[in-house]
Amino acid sequence: CGVWRGGMSIFLAKCFNDKQIWVCDSFEGCQDPQKGKYEYLAETHTYGLYAINIQEVKTNFINYGFVVNDPRIKFLKGFFKDTLDPSICEISKISILRIDVDAYSATMEVLDALYDKVEPGGYIIFDDSCLSTCHSAMKIFFERIGKSTIIEPYTTLSVYSNTLPCGCFIQKEGNSI
């Protein structure tokens, strides 16, 4: 979720050539913070920042050897509060959830919609964990679902610590997938 030019999605599609890849983004840049599902007073992004249109991302996939309309690569265009709504979203099981959305509301929206779909043993990668807005969303979300100890395995820091590095991850409890 949050793909910019598609580089990490392309990488994951190459690494996991037997898995369904969901490429989820507005393809319009960051959502206006006042239109998100959640309000965060310190939000600083302006609408449209990091806008890359969907055709450019699809072209990047083709440039790396993927065919047009590859059946295992699905593009989900729109803001997460709309596209990840459980009543319409087709995503059912997730092995790796990568969140690179640069904003509080978008981070919360992705976690709300997709955390329960991450299989036990699966991973959640937080690209923007060093941004105070995203880090706050992580802390609030995990507190809300009752996770009292969430350790980021790479740094051995808890998400409840005051700072985290960019690009940290957690592994969801349970047997490996």
Side-chain angles (χ1 to χ4, degrees):
C1 293
V3 302
W4 195 33
R5 292 187 169 126
M8 186 54 70
S9 299
I10 293 165
F11 174 75
L12 292 171
K14 288 281 189 182
C15 289
F16 301 101
N17 58 14
D18 61 337
K19 298 282 187 181
Q20 181 81 59
I21 305 295
W22 287 91
V23 183
C24 306
D25 201 296
S26 70
F27 301 100
E28 297 176 28
C30 293
Q31 173 177 255
D32 180 340
Q34 296 179 347
K35 294 184 179 177
K37 184 176 176 183
Y38 296 95
E39 184 178 354
Y40 187 74
L41 297 177
E43 199 78 71
T44 58
H45 290 291
T46 46
Y47 175 74
L49 190 63
Y50 306 117
I52 301 294
N53 72 52
I54 193 170
Q55 193 53 53
E56 183 176 340
V57 176
K58 288 181 177 183
T59 298
N60 290 339
F61 269 86
I62 292 166
N63 290 340
Y64 281 90
F66 293 92
V67 297
V68 175
N69 298 322
D70 184 319
R72 69 185 190 90
I73 300 170
K74 304 285 186 187
F75 288 84
L76 193 55
K77 181 184 185 323
F79 293 110
F80 304 122
K81 66 182 177 64
D82 303 320
T83 58
L84 298 180
D85 180 313
S87 67
I88 60 168
C89 182
E90 297 178 37
I91 299 171
S92 59
K93 292 181 183 180
I94 300 172
S95 301
I96 298 173
L97 172 60
R98 182 172 182 273
I99 305 173
D100 184 4
V101 297
D102 296 26
Y104 178 85
S105 188
T107 300
M108 288 292 282
E109 292 163 15
V110 171
L111 287 169
D112 279 348
L114 300 180
Y115 178 82
D116 287 341
K117 295 180 180 188
V118 175
E119 294 288 301
Y123 293 91
I124 303 171
I125 301 168
F126 296 96
D127 187 80
D128 304 314
S129 52
C130 62
L131 300 178
S132 63
T133 55
C134 298
H135 188 206
S136 292
M138 293 165 61
K139 286 163 80 171
I140 290 168
F141 178 81
F142 288 118
E143 286 171 358
R144 189 178 76 204
I145 64 168
K147 300 292 182 192
S148 59
T149 305
I150 302 290
I151 300 296
E152 187 284 309
Y154 182 70
T155 63
T156 67
L157 293 172
S158 166
V159 296
Y160 302 118
S161 65
N162 290 331
T163 61
L164 284 175
C166 277
C168 72
F169 67 95
I170 64 164
Q171 184 174 23
K172 193 168 178 186
E173 297 88 2
N175 294 328
S176 296
I177 50 176

